[in-house]
Amino acid sequence: MDTSLDMKSSGMKNKRPTLQDVANLVGVTKMTVSRFLKNSDQVSPPLRIKIKEALDDLGYIPNRAPDILSKSKSHAIGVLLPSLTNHVFAEVIRGVESILEPAGYQTMLAHYGYSQEAEESRIATLLSYNVDGLIISESYHTERVRKMLSVAGIPVIEIMDSTSPPIEQAIGIDNQAAAYAMTECMIKKGHTKIVYFAARMDQRTLLRLQGYKAAMHDNGLTEMCISTDSASSFSLGEQFMKEALEKQPDTDGIFCTNDDLAIGALFACQKAGIKVPEEMGIAGFHGHDIARVMVPLLATVITPREEIGRLAAEHLLSRLKGNPVTEKVINLPFKIEPGESI
Amino acid sequence: MDTSLDMKSSGMKNKRPTLQDVANLVGVTKMTVSRFLKNSDQVSPPLRIKIKEALDDLGYIPNRAPDILSKSKSHAIGVLLPSLTNHVFAEVIRGVESILEPAGYQTMLAHYGYSQEAEESRIATLLSYNVDGLIISESYHTERVRKMLSVAGIPVIEIMDSTSPPIEQAIGIDNQAAAYAMTECMIKKGHTKIVYFAARMDQRTLLRLQGYKAAMHDNGLTEMCISTDSASSFSLGEQFMKEALEKQPDTDGIFCTNDDLAIGALFACQKAGIKVPEEMGIAGFHGHDIARVMVPLLATVITPREEIGRLAAEHLLSRLKGNPVTEKVINLPFKIEPGESI
DNA sequence: CCATGAATTGTTACCTGTAACATTAGCATA
DNA sequence: TATGCTAATGTTACAGGTAACAATTCATGG
């Protein structure tokens, strides 16, 4: 018996009870209580009852901190995304959690608002909590980020795009091919003066823009792009639509880097009395739920967002079990949904 | 010099470098490196240069685990919400992070899918990571949850609703009053056969339902509710609309517990050729971005979701600084936006 | 009645950063 | 030169759970 035990059981601050507190109450060492919690078979039946009572009585809450410190196993996975409010990433998160949560892993979410500087700092923060693995997005990372990831010695999976060479493993879609396919689809439907709407010029938007440009070029059509660095929104789509009609009054098609812009553009047409798709074809990207109920149904590229999250989590868990990377790049299929708006 | 140092600097696994590794490289004790990191003034100028080089060289990443263990200060805040994909909660999260992130706190998000059992387990998990404070939603908690929270000894803030008595502090709106106000607004516009659409019968939906019922009753009208326990979606709104017209063909108003259902219902009317608002008034709840651009503009209750998150985070930080709870309940205003759909 | 071994409980050490205290070096003043 | 003081660095202990090893108990069989 060391004297500090008496200190703890006496007055003091009302600090959260530790295994030692429980052990004191029962009259055993904390090791015995620890055994009870991990595998009660190792403890004699009479003690089991007393320990259970003491745990309930004190309201003992397990503490991961010592484990994290001594084994560097936090059972937490860091997920770093550009934005948390964007519904696309919200669905990725849902996919990730649907796998991690039943596996007993806690998700630590962070976002960096498309800033590389913020990305560095968020990754350092996640690593400072000893996350067991990381799911990150984008594919361009600073040297410091790459160094941190390599030094950390934990599995890393990059998600959303499947074209750039991954650090270790990437899961996503071919954004450029998807944009090419949708643009071609619009062209086949008879649209020729197609304008591309882009917000937040991140890597994936740029890849889609390239796909659009390639398709226009291959069909002998002239490209035109309206873009901004600020965040995308429904009202931005409305605003861009007006801008497009001013700059190029005979515009007959709009391809947007996401559904938010497309929906905004579509409503702008409705307000202006422009018939969709007769006078104006409009297509979005990602397959927002609303696109599947609205009138007219929005043409969009349906992307497997939730599956990207699920797969990323599954592959991460597999690697945490010690399995090697089997496929460096997992390229998931997208689907062109013509809807009624092109 | 203890021998374990030599072990570390030799081969072994490529474990993430510790302060000890950096110290070995420089030829000082880890305490000196620790001082450099916290306050480089305490280290002599020549050493500063060598330590900085060693840190960069090894790619040292700070480790919060020891701090969490010895001071139980994790600089992480747990945020527990019913759902992460719902845009309402996504905006709450944005508000929370806008305050916590600049203050140097990491957000640990968790969700419980409206299940009380899951809530218990998620709170235990968050506490096991020694979060410094908790932001939780709903107001009904099991005895075990209340015990855990009291034992944990950290500040807790409940968000979203402002009517139930809080554990410590609550920040939100009066859902019942908001629903009452919107129902009255619909009645004043001439709608009388108003049906309430509800999904996921959580506490806030029930409060809104009560507000709707009270308003109908006070105006001598007959209430009718269509509901389900499953999650809300745009297509569910469509389906409910059909159901309402079957059960009560002369329905002339729909008040939905959220905008998703309302938007689905509105598109269902468009498809069925029912004029909104002439033949059918439709109102939602929360003020989804899309409600402000769509045609017709959706009537909705605009709620300060982001501000709820911001305020919760601010009050939590204030309490972490040792300030007492000043206002047990913070009741934020909502705004009835009639739009063009009622 | 003691040896053997299984079952149960105890002891020690460890993980990493840092607070608190201790020591040493360096320099100025009496 | 001794004294006192500051600046710079070192030493020790600690947080809480658990792996690894040690000790104790108790029953069983020879």
Side-chain angles (χ1 to χ4, degrees):
Chain A
M1 271 283 186
D2 81 67
T3 51
S4 69
L5 304 192
D6 305 319
M7 293 268 299
K8 276 176 195 165
S9 48
S10 74
M12 302 287 286
K13 291 278 153 48
N14 62 325
K15 254 193 74 217
R16 158 174 163 179
T18 67
L19 273 196
Q20 186 64 261
D21 298 325
V22 179
N24 291 346
L25 197 59
V26 179
V28 293
T29 60
K30 56 182 182 167
M31 195 61 225
T32 305
V33 184
S34 171
R35 286 196 184 96
F36 173 84
L37 288 173
K38 303 222 85 178
N39 181 6
S40 60
D41 289 355
Q42 292 176 28
V43 176
S44 65
L47 259 188
R48 283 182 214 167
I49 297 165
K50 287 171 75 179
I51 291 176
K52 182 144 187 23
E53 275 174 9
L55 286 168
D56 285 347
D57 195 22
L58 294 177
Y60 175 76
I61 304 161
N63 185 355
R64 277 198 199 276
D67 239 50
I68 297 174
L69 184 54
S70 55
K71 289 190 279 298
S72 292
K73 280 277 162 260
S74 61
H75 274 249
I77 302 292
V79 179
L80 183 59
L81 296 168
S83 148
L84 294 182
T85 37
N86 186 320
H87 70 99
V88 171
F89 296 117
E91 285 170 35
V92 170
I93 294 169
R94 176 157 58 188
V96 168
E97 291 233 315
S98 74
I99 301 297
L100 291 187
E101 195 264 304
Y105 279 82
Q106 167 70 23
T107 316
M108 290 198 84
L109 284 177
H111 66 115
Y112 56 93
Y114 301 89
S115 138
Q116 287 206 330
E117 200 182 322
E119 189 193 21
E120 270 188 27
S121 128
R122 295 304 165 280
I123 286 184
T125 301
L126 289 173
L127 292 176
S128 80
Y129 285 99
N130 291 276
V131 290
D132 293 345
L134 270 179
I135 296 175
I136 63 181
S137 63
E138 300 286 353
S139 311
Y140 297 145
H141 307 287
T142 63
E143 243 346 281
R144 272 200 59 209
V145 165
R146 288 174 176 277
K147 170 112 195 188
M148 278 196 285
L149 294 178
S150 99
V151 154
I154 58 171
V156 176
I157 295 184
E158 290 161 283
I159 57 171
M160 300 320 284
D161 192 70
S162 61
T163 49
S164 314
I167 299 180
E168 295 172 8
Q169 190 170 28
I171 299 174
I173 63 159
D174 185 334
N175 282 276
Q176 193 170 343
Y180 190 100
M182 179 53 98
T183 309
E184 276 227 307
C185 183
M186 292 182 78
I187 294 169
K188 278 198 186 120
K189 293 263 183 184
H191 305 282
T192 54
K193 300 271 190 179
I194 305 170
V195 178
Y196 189 83
F197 285 3
R200 187 79 82 189
M201 300 299 280
D202 65 336
Q203 196 203 345
R204 273 159 281 112
T205 282
L206 290 173
L207 287 167
R208 286 176 212 148
L209 179 57
Q210 280 173 29
Y212 153 81
K213 283 183 176 174
M216 293 296 276
H217 179 262
D218 290 355
N219 285 276
L221 298 172
T222 315
E223 62 204 53
M224 176 175 161
C225 175
I226 296 182
S227 69
T228 172
D229 276 339
S230 57
S232 139
S233 68
F234 296 111
S235 51
L236 188 64
E238 268 194 302
Q239 191 186 311
F240 275 9
M241 189 73 232
K242 288 173 195 158
E243 214 173 310
L245 289 171
E246 274 171 30
K247 286 190 184 165
Q248 182 180 287
D250 58 345
T251 297
D252 69 352
I254 304 289
F255 179 27
C256 303
T257 200
N258 62 43
D259 286 344
D260 296 24
L261 291 177
I263 290 167
L266 203 152
F267 285 126
C269 287
Q270 290 192 0
K271 283 177 193 165
I274 299 168
K275 283 181 194 153
V276 176
E278 295 81 359
E279 298 167 20
M280 184 73 70
I282 297 182
F285 203 103
H286 270 315
H288 194 299
D289 284 344
I290 203 173
R292 310 200 189 178
V293 295
M294 65 190 298
V295 182
L297 287 175
L298 184 70
T300 189
V301 180
I302 297 178
T303 55
R305 304 175 292 281
E306 199 165 336
E307 199 190 348
I308 288 177
R310 265 200 310 272
L311 276 178
E314 276 166 5
H315 280 264
L316 202 54
L317 290 182
S318 156
R319 283 169 57 193
L320 285 173
K321 281 185 201 132
N323 302 323
V325 176
T326 46
E327 306 158 271
K328 264 185 88 77
V329 174
I330 296 175
N331 183 35
L332 296 176
F334 52 84
K335 185 170 166 253
I336 301 295
E337 170 57 60
E340 306 163 343
S341 69
I342 57 171
Chain B
M1 271 285 188
D2 81 69
T3 51
S4 69
L5 305 191
D6 305 318
M7 293 268 298
K8 277 178 196 163
S9 48
S10 75
M12 302 286 286
K13 290 280 153 48
N14 61 325
K15 255 193 72 215
R16 158 174 164 181
T18 66
L19 273 196
Q20 186 64 259
D21 298 326
V22 179
N24 291 347
L25 196 62
V26 178
V28 292
T29 60
K30 55 182 181 167
M31 195 61 226
T32 305
V33 184
S34 171
R35 287 196 184 96
F36 172 84
L37 289 173
K38 304 221 83 177
N39 181 5
S40 61
D41 290 356
Q42 291 177 28
V43 175
S44 64
L47 260 188
R48 284 181 213 168
I49 297 164
K50 287 171 75 178
I51 291 175
K52 180 143 186 27
E53 275 173 8
L55 286 168
D56 285 348
D57 196 21
L58 293 176
Y60 176 76
I61 304 161
N63 184 356
R64 278 198 198 276
D67 239 50
I68 296 174
L69 183 56
S70 53
K71 288 189 279 299
S72 292
K73 280 275 163 258
S74 61
H75 274 250
I77 301 293
V79 180
L80 183 61
L81 296 167
S83 149
L84 295 182
T85 37
N86 186 319
H87 70 99
V88 171
F89 296 117
E91 285 169 35
V92 170
I93 293 169
R94 175 157 58 188
V96 169
E97 291 235 313
S98 73
I99 301 298
L100 290 187
E101 195 265 302
Y105 280 82
Q106 167 70 23
T107 316
M108 289 197 86
L109 284 176
H111 65 116
Y112 57 94
Y114 301 90
S115 137
Q116 287 207 329
E117 200 184 322
E119 189 193 22
E120 270 189 28
S121 129
R122 297 300 165 282
I123 286 184
T125 301
L126 290 173
L127 292 176
S128 80
Y129 285 98
N130 291 279
V131 290
D132 293 345
L134 271 179
I135 296 175
I136 64 182
S137 62
E138 301 286 350
S139 312
Y140 297 145
H141 307 287
T142 63
E143 245 342 284
R144 273 201 59 209
V145 165
R146 288 173 177 276
K147 170 112 194 188
M148 278 196 286
L149 295 178
S150 100
V151 154
I154 58 171
V156 176
I157 295 185
E158 289 160 283
I159 57 172
M160 301 320 284
D161 192 70
S162 60
T163 49
S164 314
I167 298 179
E168 295 173 7
Q169 190 170 30
I171 299 174
I173 63 159
D174 185 334
N175 282 276
Q176 193 170 344
Y180 190 100
M182 179 53 98
T183 308
E184 275 228 307
C185 183
M186 292 182 78
I187 294 170
K188 279 200 185 118
K189 294 264 183 182
H191 305 281
T192 53
K193 301 269 191 179
I194 305 171
V195 178
Y196 189 82
F197 284 3
R200 187 80 82 190
M201 300 298 282
D202 66 336
Q203 196 204 345
R204 273 158 282 113
T205 283
L206 290 173
L207 287 167
R208 286 175 213 149
L209 179 57
Q210 280 172 30
Y212 153 81
K213 282 184 176 175
M216 292 297 276
H217 180 263
D218 290 355
N219 285 275
L221 298 172
T222 314
E223 61 202 55
M224 176 175 163
C225 174
I226 296 183
S227 69
T228 172
D229 276 339
S230 57
S232 138
S233 68
F234 296 112
S235 50
L236 188 65
E238 267 193 304
Q239 190 186 311
F240 275 9
M241 190 71 232
K242 287 173 196 158
E243 212 172 313
L245 289 171
E246 273 170 29
K247 285 189 184 164
Q248 182 180 287
D250 59 344
T251 297
D252 68 353
I254 304 288
F255 180 26
C256 303
T257 200
N258 62 43
D259 285 344
D260 296 24
L261 291 177
I263 290 167
L266 203 152
F267 285 127
C269 288
Q270 290 192 359
K271 284 177 192 165
I274 299 168
K275 281 181 193 152
V276 175
E278 295 82 1
E279 296 166 22
M280 185 73 68
I282 296 182
F285 202 102
H286 269 318
H288 194 299
D289 284 345
I290 203 173
R292 310 200 189 179
V293 294
M294 66 190 298
V295 182
L297 288 176
L298 184 69
T300 190
V301 180
I302 297 178
T303 55
R305 304 175 291 281
E306 200 165 336
E307 200 190 348
I308 288 176
R310 266 201 310 273
L311 275 178
E314 277 167 2
H315 280 264
L316 202 55
L317 290 181
S318 155
R319 284 169 58 193
L320 285 173
K321 281 186 200 133
N323 302 323
V325 176
T326 46
E327 307 157 90
K328 264 184 88 78
V329 173
I330 297 175
N331 182 36
L332 296 175
F334 53 84
K335 185 171 166 253
I336 301 295
E337 171 55 60
E340 305 164 344
S341 70
I342 59 171

